[in-house]
Amino acid sequence: MHAKVNLDEIDVRDVGEDSPRLKAVGYELRPKKMRPNVWVFEPGQRLNRHRQKTQEELYHILSGTFEMRYENSTEELKAGDMVLVSPDEIRQLVCVTSGEAFIVGAPNAKDDGVVLNVD
């Protein structure tokens, strides 16, 4: 089995007033063992500070610049950078300049995130 989609053909969805927008790659491809999505950010937008119950997360910066904030450090990310984060590590992706981030969680576990605070 295989599935194909072109990122340019996926509609961008609003998910909240000040939240980044979403290109639901997983909805289009329907994978069984991972949760892929592309998030579209404007400067200052961020994902919630969180950890996961079971999912590892792979972040691939497609464009723009970001900060990945961990519990005790911050790492700058630019287009082409990839970061793998273990489920138990606290993280928050923050947009510095407009861009897109491809984020894959595995295994495919719905509602796996544990939000620690809402900024």
Side-chain angles (χ1 to χ4, degrees), residues 14-35:
D14 290 324
V15 294
E17 188 173 314
D18 291 323
S19 298
R21 295 176 301 147
L22 175 67
K23 290 186 178 183
V25 175
Y27 179 80
E28 298 294 328
L29 295 176
R30 308 286 183 174
K32 292 183 169 101
K33 298 186 179 190
M34 67 179 83
R35 291 181 67 87

Side-chain angles (χ1 to χ4, degrees), residues 1-118:
M1 181 206 138
H2 70 278
K4 177 185 173 188
V5 67
N6 186 297
L7 195 56
D8 293 335
E9 296 171 359
I10 298 176
D11 291 333
V12 179
R13 301 176 183 189
D14 290 324
V15 294
E17 188 173 314
D18 291 323
S19 298
R21 295 176 301 147
L22 175 67
K23 290 186 178 183
V25 175
Y27 179 80
E28 298 294 328
L29 295 176
R30 308 286 183 174
K32 292 183 169 101
K33 298 186 179 190
M34 67 179 83
R35 291 181 67 87
N37 286 299
V38 171
W39 291 90
V40 181
F41 292 83
E42 296 300 325
Q45 289 183 323
R46 61 192 67 209
L47 297 178
N48 288 328
R49 184 171 173 263
H50 73 287
R51 65 175 177 77
Q52 299 294 129
K53 294 174 190 169
T54 60
Q55 286 184 340
E56 287 185 313
E57 287 184 325
L58 175 68
Y59 295 77
H60 180 189
I61 305 304
L62 301 176
S63 62
T65 55
F66 294 82
E67 290 180 346
M68 180 65 84
R69 297 179 183 170
Y70 304 101
E71 193 164 20
N72 297 312
S73 64
T74 299
E75 188 169 36
E76 293 183 18
L77 302 174
K78 63 183 183 325
D81 286 342
M82 299 176 87
V83 176
L84 178 64
V85 184
S86 65
D88 58 332
E89 189 164 17
I90 296 168
R91 83 292 307 255
Q92 182 178 40
L93 187 64
V94 179
C95 180
V96 177
T97 64
S98 297
E100 294 186 350
F102 178 56
I103 303 172
V104 179
N108 187 349
K110 186 176 182 181
D111 300 326
D112 192 58
V114 177
V115 175
L116 300 173
N117 68 351
V118 179

